[in-house]
Amino acid sequence: MAAVPKGLEERLVVLSTATILDALGREAQRIISSHDSVAEFSIVKEQSSAEDDHWVASVVYSAAKTEIYFRVHFSTTISRRLVEGLFKEFAIEPNAQHAHDYFSEYCNQVVGCIKSALHADLSEEDQRRVFVPAVAPSYDRYSEVPGSNSLNIEERWWQVAWPEGKLLIYASVKGEASLDIETLRKLEKDQGLSIDDKGNLQFFKILY
């Protein structure tokens, strides 16, 4: 097989990176929307502050062709807003730990969906590689969010807004090689929600 010209390969890597970022945004929005129809999901257009978002849930997945970093900036108040709906049938008042666990699992689901779509482009080692979400306070780590015009081609910011507040979502993708055309097509489709054999949405595993 003839080698791909360097200039063309570089453009294909950029296309692959942008496609993964688009897919991360769609999955992030789809999962949030399935839990709260009031939430307004949009890309961050103007420079803003992250000072009110005191916690960060994040996950990193590294493979030979790409590295994905995904994180959510949130306050406990807003995260409780989301988990309240998941707890209704259990008559339990969600606490701070439940709220933090929600976003840990959220990161796990979003990146897990993308990993599944990348399957054909992953080596056996990459397929076995796991990623573990982490939640940590972020008081001194992040203070400013750039506007969309300031972003480079490897990263993106979104926001999810409610009348009482918002959370911020960030993703970066470092492409090392271009992806197969079939992988790109898979990334352009919704990856589907995880449903158990009883028809229940499998998301907040602490409840099951």
Side-chain angles (χ1 to χ4, degrees), residues 6-26:
K6 183 178 179 181
L8 176 58
E9 172 64 15
E10 289 175 349
R11 290 195 292 274
L12 290 173
V13 171
V14 170
L15 173 62
S16 299
T17 299
T19 303
I20 293 173
L21 282 169
D22 288 342
L24 285 164
R26 280 198 309 276

Side-chain angles (χ1 to χ4, degrees), residues 1-59:
M1 181 181 292
V4 178
K6 183 178 179 181
L8 176 58
E9 172 64 15
E10 289 175 349
R11 290 195 292 274
L12 290 173
V13 171
V14 170
L15 173 62
S16 299
T17 299
T19 303
I20 293 173
L21 282 169
D22 288 342
L24 285 164
R26 280 198 309 276
E27 291 304 306
Q29 179 176 10
R30 185 176 59 85
I31 293 172
I32 284 283
S33 298
S34 71
H35 299 152
D36 192 318
S37 60
V38 177
E40 295 184 2
F41 194 101
S42 63
I43 196 164
V44 174
K45 295 181 179 180
E46 298 180 359
Q47 181 172 303
S48 59
S49 171
E51 292 178 352
D52 292 333
D53 299 306
H54 297 302
W55 294 87
V56 166
S58 62
V59 66

Side-chain angles (χ1 to χ4, degrees), residues 53-108:
D53 299 306
H54 297 302
W55 294 87
V56 166
S58 62
V59 66
V60 178
Y61 175 69
S62 296
K65 288 190 174 183
T66 190
E67 180 177 270
I68 297 170
Y69 177 49
F70 183 82
R71 73 176 188 250
V72 182
H73 297 249
F74 65 94
S75 67
T76 301
T77 300
I78 288 298
S79 55
R80 279 179 170 171
R81 165 78 168 77
L82 274 166
V83 299
E84 281 175 356
L86 297 176
F87 274 76
K88 279 182 179 178
E89 64 178 292
F90 299 94
I92 298 173
E93 182 69 27
N95 58 32
Q97 187 61 55
H98 294 140
H100 292 182
D101 286 347
Y102 174 93
F103 280 110
S104 179
E105 180 62 13
Y106 177 70
C107 290
N108 191 52

Side-chain angles (χ1 to χ4, degrees), residues 158-170:
W158 301 272
Q159 66 180 22
V160 186
W162 294 267
E164 62 267 42
K166 67 180 180 180
L167 59 85
L168 297 167
I169 298 174
Y170 170 84

